[in-house]
Amino acid sequence: MATTTAHTDGGPARERIELAIGGMTCASCATRIEKKLNRMAGVTATVNYATEKAKVAYGEGVAVGDLIATVEATGYTAAPPAPPPAGPGSGDRGRAEETPELNSLRRRLTTAVALAVPVIALSMIPASQFTNWQWVALALASPVVVYAGLPFHRAAWVNLRHGAATMDTLVSVGTLAAYGWSLWALFFGTAGTPGMTHPFGFTVTRGDGGGNIYLEAAAGVTAFILAGRYFEAGAKRRAGAALRALLELGVEEVAVLRRDARGAQAEVRIPVGGLAVGDRFVVRPGEKIATDGVVREGGSAVDASMLTGESVPVEVGPGSPVAGATVNAGGRIVVEAVRIGADTRLARMARLVEDAQNGKAAAQRLADRISAVFVPAVIALALGTLGVWLALGEGATAAFTAAVAVLIIACPCALGLATPTALLVGTGRGAQLGILIKGPEVLESTRAVDTVVLDKTGTVTTGAMALTGVHIARDADADAKDVLRLAGALEHASEHPVARAVVAAATEDGVALPLVGADFAAVPGLGVRGTVDGHAVLVGRERLLAGAGVSLPAELAEAKRAAEERGGTAVVVAWDGRARGVLVVADAVKPTSAEAVRRLRALGLRPVLLTGDNAAVAAAVAAQVGVDPADVHAEALPEDKVAVVRGLQEQGRTVAMVGDGVNDAAALAQADLGLAMGTGTDAAIEAGDLTLVRGDLRVAADAIRLSRRTLATIKGNLFWAFAYNLAAIPLAAAGLLNPMVAGAAMAFSSVFVVGNSLRLRGFKPLAD
């Protein structure tokens, strides 16, 4: 059931609805639907070919049924979209991509390739033409033309009914003409005679041409174009996965506190959909928080990096707000739900991603744009050729043969291969280099990009807490190893991310940690205490030591202050009543990030740093990697990141965004070009246009270079494919190419396009 939302913008109330559109085969279909909807009074519509959705705003006097009827009258289907899956378990992305459309295309492509190959071999290799071979070729070619080519014929019929023409029209007309002529020649001409061999002349035979059949052209064109359509459909289908990845971040069940019949409080596990505002639920260490709420009992550290980008876990206690889908990294807490369902921060992020995706119109393929003129012109030329030959008295057979030659020579086999072959080779080479390019529409943005926005956490930095410094008091009677060993032993019993960083450093060289006494205790929000090797050890904040009567020496206080100014977390270590050292834990800058920024600048890009961390951390990281202070944006929530990207776009800049977290997904979708770090979350990877599998920021420069090279190859392929048509069509119209030679020339143009695309295998990355 559709849900519509009323909006007022200072004018008449307007309703908004999103419709799922079916039956589109190219970007021109989306344009046609959009025009039809926008011609309705009071209607404003945007149709996205990639997501197969139409966002429609309409006023009084217009019903949802009217919108659907308009789309259906245009030759397509429309319906309110199905509701999202109830939980993460039902949203498997792998299965989501196995749609009926892809399955159907795969079956048709398999059929076409398996049957077209022997037809081409029989028709073009005279030595293979045994007695009655032509009937075998007919039996093999018929399923290819009728069954495998059905989507082209269906689309051509829809286009014809609405006075339009696309590449589908030319494919359908060309293959049906070649197939129809072959049927006539076999049943009514001399091509069906036993012992017939395929004549192979370069020109149209004047007079009777009833011995010529062109089954190889009909079957071959269908197979080649289906291959291109299949790969395009797969890329298009992946465009909607960002929203599924966001929705899968939630939880399926939640432990709600309920009163039993005796009034005692007990935990009851219920589906998350049954959670109501005001319910209190339990979150144990390592579990995700079910929804936005406020902590009512307990204390812990919450990893909110997926939403805020903040690398340091946030300490929470009674009264602290928490967001759904963040992870409880510490102790047991009880949370009271304050927002559920569509009102949560996670749901709002999903809407941001969706709005950004639908706001970017799908890039129309160059071939489709040109075909609006090219296809009708070719059909007109074929009809004109037929008429001229008849007027010159050359005979119906010769005239029809010349007309068919025009259609076949113009059949866009090379055009259909121009994009997918270059894309396949380019993406294959990219995969070897740790770069994933999602589709040809991505490439059009790379050439114009002049600004690159870099998320900090997980992109410029490692995204994980690590020990970056150890400061020892002058009178500590201990060294760094002693401080780390005792602190690591005590922190080993804690699940706090800062504690894990200390433990990792303490055990880095295989050092065995001593045992902790039974008096171990975690002090929420302050640190841990316990006995290690007979020493009473304290590890945590300065307040923990102050509570035990331990003061901080001046040199350690200065080291702590300096570390915190640089954005680090200072952990104080004391034992036996004396402060011995300060451990500094921080999200370290990747060793390759500074070089990556230099490479991006070399490509003419202006780097901008964007982070949810505080200004001190952002400034320190920017100084290390070479980003100008004026181009640093700190304390940015997901909404702020989108606003920064949009603001740069409003200044006339073409923006690339590099990020890795869920909090980056909306900004990645809003950017003209989104580059997702493959070491990040699924939501970021699916929202991005390019994925950097290696997680090395230097690969971003290689990704842009490879994308630009691939785009140049596609444009080169399209140019030569059209140049071939422009040169060959006059020859065919003059009778200097018979359909058989036209088919061979068409195959050669395809080989040329493939060969040009294969040059991308030699792409070299910049030296590491």
Side-chain angles (χ1 to χ4, degrees):
M1 181 175 178
T3 57
T4 58
T5 307
H7 292 257
T8 57
D9 302 308
R14 289 169 66 80
E15 301 287 334
R16 298 182 187 272
I17 190 171
E18 185 179 82
L19 299 175
I21 306 297
M24 294 189 294
T25 60
C26 62
S28 60
C29 297
T31 302
R32 190 175 308 123
I33 297 170
E34 193 172 288
K35 287 181 179 178
K36 289 286 188 180
L37 287 172
N38 285 323
R39 286 174 185 168
M40 299 176 65
V43 173
T44 304
T46 301
V47 181
N48 191 315
Y49 170 58
T51 59
E52 297 180 320
K53 291 179 180 178
K55 279 189 171 290
V56 187
Y58 58 98
E60 293 182 2
V62 179
V64 174
D66 299 330
L67 302 173
I68 293 175
T70 298
V71 175
E72 290 176 344
T74 312
Y76 305 90
T77 63
S90 57
D92 183 81
R93 289 188 304 279
R95 289 194 300 269
E97 292 192 6
E98 294 299 321
T99 61
E101 177 192 12
L102 278 176
N103 287 332
S104 175
L105 273 173
R106 185 185 297 111
R107 288 193 300 269
R108 295 180 193 277
L109 176 59
T110 302
T111 300
V113 172
L115 299 180
V117 169
V119 171
I120 294 172
L122 284 173
S123 302
M124 303 197 64
I125 304 175
S128 67
Q129 295 172 1
F130 51 85
T131 302
N132 290 325
W133 67 270
Q134 65 270 41
W135 298 104
V136 175
L138 176 64
L140 294 173
S142 295
V144 177
V145 175
V146 176
Y147 166 71
L150 183 60
F152 305 124
H153 309 319
R154 185 187 295 121
W157 173 245
V158 171
N159 292 330
L160 179 62
R161 287 171 49 204
H162 295 90
T166 65
M167 301 306 280
D168 290 321
T169 306
L170 199 54
V171 172
S172 178
V173 171
T175 55
L176 288 180
Y179 181 72
W181 174 263
S182 299
L183 287 179
W184 185 91
L186 284 168
F187 287 99
F188 302 103
T190 60
T193 305
M196 181 275 273
T197 57
H198 207 292
F200 193 85
F202 287 97
T203 61
V204 173
T205 303
R206 261 62 175 177
D208 184 19
N212 298 331
I213 59 174
Y214 311 113
L215 295 171
E216 78 289 346
V221 168
T222 301
F224 277 127
I225 303 302
L226 272 176
R229 186 64 54 84
Y230 174 74
F231 293 122
E232 178 183 345
K236 183 183 69 175
R237 195 42 70 184
R238 288 191 294 271
L243 294 178
R244 292 194 294 272
L246 279 176
L247 293 172
E248 287 169 7
L249 287 172
V251 300
E252 288 183 334
E253 291 187 335
V254 58
V256 180
L257 294 177
R258 297 276 195 248
R259 297 284 181 184
D260 59 21
R262 294 171 299 189
Q265 197 174 63
E267 293 183 23
V268 179
R269 298 200 70 83
I270 64 171
V272 71
L275 197 63
V277 173
D279 282 345
R280 296 193 175 190
F281 56 92
V282 177
V283 188
R284 291 180 171 78
E287 293 182 343
K288 290 182 180 179
I289 298 174
T291 193
D292 296 357
V294 175
V295 176
R296 294 305 182 197
E297 299 176 20
S300 182
V302 173
D303 180 1
S305 59
M306 64 177 60
L307 291 179
T308 66
E310 180 68 47
S311 55
V312 179
V314 180
E315 300 288 345
V316 298
S320 300
V322 290
T326 56
V327 179
N328 179 13
R332 176 185 182 274
I333 55 176
V334 176
V335 178
E336 180 180 331
V338 297
R339 286 188 296 270
I340 60 174
D343 295 328
T344 64
R345 178 177 288 186
L346 179 64
R348 293 199 302 271
M349 286 178 59
R351 287 197 296 272
L352 278 173
V353 174
E354 185 176 21
D355 289 342
Q357 282 188 335
N358 281 284
K360 290 195 301 185
Q364 284 193 338
R365 305 291 190 270
L366 181 59
D368 279 323
R369 292 198 295 267
I370 296 177
S371 69
V373 176
F374 179 74
V375 174
V378 168
I379 295 174
L381 279 172
L383 293 175
T385 300
L386 177 65
V388 169
W389 278 63
L390 288 175
L392 294 175
E394 294 292 347
T397 298
F400 188 77
T401 302
V404 169
V406 170
L407 288 173
I408 292 176
I409 202 71
C411 256
C413 191
L415 291 176
L417 289 171
T419 295
T421 54
L423 182 65
L424 285 173
V425 179
T427 54
R429 180 58 180 150
Q432 294 175 337
L433 303 175
I435 303 164
L436 299 181
I437 303 173
K438 290 194 174 180
E441 69 280 356
V442 171
L443 307 177
E444 296 182 355
S445 301
T446 61
R447 192 177 294 273
V449 166
D450 54 26
T451 303
V452 56
V453 175
L454 306 173
D455 167 60
K456 180 189 75 68
T457 305
T459 302
V460 175
T461 65
T462 61
M465 305 299 289
L467 185 73
T468 60
V470 180
H471 302 274
I472 307 299
R474 282 192 292 268
D475 60 349
D477 296 330
D479 59 16
K481 290 184 178 179
D482 294 328
V483 172
L484 267 178
R485 188 174 65 88
L486 294 182
L490 202 59
E491 295 281 38
H492 193 270
S494 173
E495 297 181 6
H496 197 288
V498 171
R500 290 199 293 269
V502 173
V503 172
T507 58
E508 186 174 14
D509 296 324
V511 176
L513 298 176
L515 297 176
V516 179
D519 61 342
F520 170 84
V523 183
L526 295 180
V528 291
R529 67 173 73 213
T531 301
V532 183
D533 279 353
H535 301 287
V537 183
L538 299 171
V539 181
R541 297 177 182 268
E542 186 178 359
R543 282 193 294 147
L544 178 67
L545 275 66
V550 179
S551 61
L552 204 60
E555 67 270 19
L556 292 186
E558 174 60 23
K560 175 178 176 294
R561 183 195 62 78
E564 290 175 344
E565 283 185 354
R566 293 192 300 269
T569 298
V571 179
V572 184
V573 183
W575 64 80
D576 297 339
R578 290 169 55 192
R580 312 286 177 151
V582 169
L583 306 178
V584 180
V585 176
D587 180 13
V589 173
K590 293 178 181 178
T592 59
S593 292
E595 174 62 23
V597 170
R598 286 193 291 272
R599 293 183 182 182
L600 292 169
R601 285 189 184 276
L603 289 172
L605 304 179
R606 165 189 165 192
V608 174
L609 186 66
L610 189 59
T611 179
D613 271 335
N614 60 60
V617 174
V621 171
Q624 291 184 61
V625 300
V627 175
D628 296 336
D631 290 326
V632 177
H633 300 267
E635 300 179 6
L637 293 174
E639 299 89 339
D640 302 322
K641 293 187 177 186
V642 174
V644 169
V645 173
R646 188 179 292 124
L648 289 168
Q649 291 170 329
E650 289 172 352
Q651 295 173 19
R653 308 193 73 87
T654 304
V655 181
M657 166 77 184
V658 188
D660 77 315
V662 175
N663 60 301
D664 303 319
L668 286 167
Q670 174 65 39
D672 300 285
L673 179 69
L675 295 90
M677 305 296 282
T679 51
T681 62
D682 286 348
I685 292 171
E686 298 295 356
D689 302 310
L690 296 168
T691 300
L692 313 180
V693 177
R694 290 165 49 191
D696 186 339
L697 186 57
R698 293 177 299 178
V699 182
D702 289 330
I704 292 176
R705 290 176 55 241
L706 176 60
S707 297
R708 290 175 176 177
R709 182 81 59 81
T710 305
L711 176 62
T713 301
I714 289 173
K715 289 186 174 180
N717 286 346
L718 291 171
F719 170 79
W720 287 111
F722 277 113
Y724 147 83
N725 278 311
L726 291 175
I729 287 175
L731 297 177
L736 299 178
L737 291 176
N738 73 19
M740 182 65 180
V741 176
M746 179 195 66
F748 173 78
S749 70
S750 301
V751 172
F752 176 84
V753 164
V754 172
N756 190 46
S757 299
L758 289 175
R759 296 170 58 234
L760 287 169
R761 292 188 300 183
F763 175 84
K764 300 292 184 183
L766 294 172
D768 289 341

